[in-house]
Amino acid sequence: MSPGVEAIRMAEAGHDLVAAVDALIDRPRDLPDAAERRRLRRADGLTQNQVAGALRVSRTTLVAWEAGRSEPSGQRRAAYAHFLRRLAEKYPAVPGREAP
């Protein structure tokens, strides 16, 4: 392979890395952190089973979302984000107060 072609390949590979880093930094911020997700659900007196049922996922899945071990995707992500935004309107975070 000629040096010019190799240089182009290396530049493209570097660009892919930069694009991957940009995608990571620019990822959606539509969900609050795990502790806030749990706080909001609890603030409204909802059980994990109730929320899981409404979102049509298992309780185990919701537990993983609230623990920050995984996140929803697609329509469930949109629905969960909407649910959390509505609760955040009802129960705004109080600075300095820890989640129950």
Side-chain angles (χ1 to χ4, degrees):
M1 183 177 310
S2 73
V5 172
E6 182 64 21
I8 291 171
R9 269 191 49 218
M10 288 178 67
E12 287 173 349
H15 176 71
D16 289 345
L17 291 174
V18 170
V21 168
D22 285 345
L24 180 63
I25 292 169
D26 296 337
R27 71 190 180 283
R29 303 280 187 192
D30 55 341
L31 298 176
D33 67 32
E36 180 66 357
R37 296 171 199 178
R38 189 173 42 255
R39 183 195 74 80
L40 289 167
R41 177 186 55 77
R42 288 177 174 172
D44 205 50
L46 296 168
T47 67
Q48 290 172 329
N49 283 328
Q50 288 174 308
V51 177
L55 294 170
R56 298 184 186 146
V57 299
S58 69
R59 180 183 167 279
T60 303
T61 296
L62 185 73
V63 167
W65 293 350
E66 287 189 353
R69 290 190 308 268
S70 69
E71 290 195 349
S73 61
Q75 291 180 334
R76 283 195 176 87
R77 184 182 187 96
Y80 190 44
H82 176 76
F83 166 75
L84 294 169
R85 273 193 304 274
R86 294 285 311 274
L87 289 180
E89 291 169 3
K90 284 178 72 174
Y91 308 102
V94 178
R97 183 179 293 170
E98 290 193 23

